[in-house]
Amino acid sequence: MNNRTKGILLGITVGLAWGLDSILMGAVGVTPLVSAFFHDSFAFFWIGLTLLFSKQLCGSFQLLKTKKGKATAVAALVGAPVGMSAYLLAIKYATAPYASSISVIYPGVGALLSYFLLKEKLSKRATVGIFISLLGSFMLGFKPTGDIPTTFGTGILFALLAVLGWASEGVIIGFAMKHIKDEDHIQAAPQQFLCLRYFVSMIVYGFLVVPLSGEFSTALTIIKSGVFIKFAGIAILGAITYLCWYKAVDLIGAAMGTALNSTAALWTIVFSIILFGAPANSHLIIWGLVIVTGVFIFAIEPKK
């Protein structure tokens, strides 16, 4: 099996794992902020465990001494406590298929932010792709059909906040990598930056978000009842998502890896039907396909 085939299979695994992760997180039935705390904490544990065996764990924490590491920590604040919390709130209020379908437009929104803030060029093809994915997201939220909760509108707003959080995370990382020139000698694996991201997320959730939101007692109840074991299992999917995505990007490039990642929107729909008997909503499926198509157009260069 050549590297391209491996990369494509890993990219498909990313979409599948994140889609299943989204469905299961919505099914646990715990408040979103506490869910996010346990999810990211266990994701840090699993990724840290893999780095421990490869003797790279200490290097992750040493990154905090570097400018790029500090930039990663700042990016984690908008990507995890903001992005992930908003995403789980979107799942709660608008259901996982809708939340996932809208959330996958974040690479396009990130590209737009980079265009305006970092003055990065945006090709006509990318612009068309972004427009198509945004149109799909608008239609998805504008005219929902089927068994839609009364809190749907609130959920869509949270999904858009998640998009903004994750897109901003990418812009911050892109800015740091582009403008920090005196640290090119620092050799760090992407997994180490990812481990640092989840570590920062865990600390912020554990010491700020959960206590200030009055959810500390809820977190203790989850630990005492043993429900936290479910989060430990689901977080394996979250860890697999990012680890496979980094490897896929290494083998087939960021564009194709990002595009395959967007298929999570469709996998979420599939899993919601198979696992929980959700009705096959044609409106959701059609516009979900439009969104994924737009991401593919945006991400993939036809000449390559």
Side-chain angles (χ1 to χ4, degrees), residues 147-172:
D147 188 15
I148 301 300
T150 56
T151 55
F152 181 80
T154 302
I156 295 301
L157 290 177
F158 276 119
L160 294 175
L161 179 60
V163 167
L164 183 61
W166 287 335
S168 300
E169 178 183 17
V171 171
I172 293 171

Side-chain angles (χ1 to χ4, degrees), residues 84-102:
M84 189 63 179
S85 297
Y87 182 61
L88 292 177
L89 286 165
I91 290 176
K92 177 182 178 180
Y93 293 125
T95 73
Y98 282 98
S100 178
S101 295
I102 289 178

Side-chain angles (χ1 to χ4, degrees), residues 5-6 8 39 41 45 56 64 67 87 90 93 108 117 166 172 177-178 180-181 189 201 225 242 244 264 279 292:
T5 303
K6 290 179 182 178
I8 291 174
H39 180 277
S41 296
F45 174 78
Q56 294 179 307
L64 283 171
K67 295 178 183 177
Y87 182 61
Y93 293 125
L117 299 178
W166 287 335
I172 293 171
M177 298 306 170
K178 183 177 180 180
I180 298 176
K181 300 295 185 182
S201 176
S225 65
Y242 279 96
C244 286
V292 173

Side-chain angles (χ1 to χ4, degrees), residues 88-142:
L88 292 177
L89 286 165
I91 290 176
K92 177 182 178 180
Y93 293 125
T95 73
Y98 282 98
S100 178
S101 295
I102 289 178
S103 70
V104 297
I105 68 172
Y106 80 88
V109 175
L112 287 176
L113 291 177
S114 295
Y115 173 78
F116 289 110
L117 299 178
L118 304 183
K119 308 303 179 183
E120 293 184 356
K121 294 182 180 179
L122 202 60
S123 67
K124 292 181 179 179
R125 171 188 52 77
T127 303
V128 170
I130 292 171
F131 173 77
I132 291 174
S133 63
L134 290 176
L135 174 65
S137 295
F138 173 76
M139 292 303 297
L140 203 62
F142 179 72

